[in-house]
Amino acid sequence: MALLELRGISKRFGGLQALAGVSLELEDGMIASLIGPNGAGKTTLFNTLTGLYRPDEGEIHFQQRSLLGMNPDKITAAGISRTFQNIRLFSHMTVLENVLVGMHSRLKTSLPGILLRSTGFHIQENEARRRAMELIDLTSLSGREHEWAHQLSYGEQRRLEIARALAAAPQLLLLDEPTAGMNTTEAQALMTLFRKLIGNYVKAILLIEHNMRVVMGISDRVHVLDYGEKIAEGHPDEVRHDPRVIEAYLGQGIWSGNA
């Protein structure tokens, strides 16, 4: 049984058909990539999957549970966490505070417990800090936990956003262009991190990515969108040689590096 199932997802904005009957499955243990030219509908699909948009048609099931009509916070609580194409950190909070914010959906202490600073509150607070420090170390930010987020380099901010997404203890991690703006060494380090996450921190990863070296090097399966329609899917080598994909990317030279 698939971890995630999308069936016939369509989304319109006025006269614009942003998604047209998109179907997709993601299995436990899989890293999958969602690719396509700019404006193909990739981020719209992420926004629909995470409750920011509601589809006009179609079904979304995660672990055999329908997500239709659920608000973003409920979808996060159900086990799906994401990053964004444009970094959305709390710039004047520390690295540690940003990661702790990501844990809010998993904290169980009641309001009276917080106000009275009960024993349960202190136990949970200490565990949250321990977990946050583990994620900071995992994303190679050790020693930076008390620095303001805006003091980090661009690549470090990307890694911090991933740490914050992991703080919600997701089953499925959605990454929107995680290696954008990174050099080859930084992108390679993230690929190593993604492999480490599977089976240890998350069950599966779905990423939007324009760096084809990353897509070809990390993906178990690739899904291709063009003008809101899925035009191909399969193993990276199969997709790479699909005539419809080549036509969609005509003249962009994507297989030689970034696109």
Side-chain angles (χ1 to χ4, degrees), residues 42-63:
K42 304 181 296 296
T43 296
T44 298
L45 188 65
F46 266 27
N47 289 342
T48 303
L49 174 56
T50 55
L52 294 176
Y53 301 152
R54 296 196 178 185
D56 298 312
E57 291 98 26
E59 294 288 334
I60 302 173
H61 286 88
F62 178 65
Q63 299 188 123

Side-chain angles (χ1 to χ4, degrees), residues 214-226:
V214 173
V215 170
M216 297 297 290
I218 199 71
S219 305
D220 299 303
R221 196 162 187 84
V222 178
H223 303 267
V224 189
L225 296 183
D226 190 29

Side-chain angles (χ1 to χ4, degrees), residues 3-24:
L3 180 71
L4 175 71
E5 293 182 271
L6 279 65
R7 291 283 177 261
I9 297 297
S10 295
K11 181 63 182 177
R12 290 178 293 274
F13 298 99
L16 174 65
Q17 185 78 47
L19 296 171
V22 175
S23 295
L24 180 153

Side-chain angles (χ1 to χ4, degrees), residues 15-35:
L16 174 65
Q17 185 78 47
L19 296 171
V22 175
S23 295
L24 180 153
E25 288 190 3
L26 188 61
E27 301 289 340
D28 194 341
M30 181 179 290
I31 298 177
S33 291
L34 185 64
I35 69 171

Side-chain angles (χ1 to χ4, degrees), residues 172-192:
L172 171 61
L173 181 62
L174 307 179
L175 302 171
D176 195 342
E177 298 193 29
T179 70
M182 292 187 176
N183 60 37
T184 301
T185 301
E186 290 172 324
Q188 189 68 43
L190 270 193
M191 291 169 65
T192 300

Side-chain angles (χ1 to χ4, degrees), residues 62 96 158 237 241:
F62 178 65
L96 176 60
R158 284 278 180 193
D237 284 333
H241 296 100

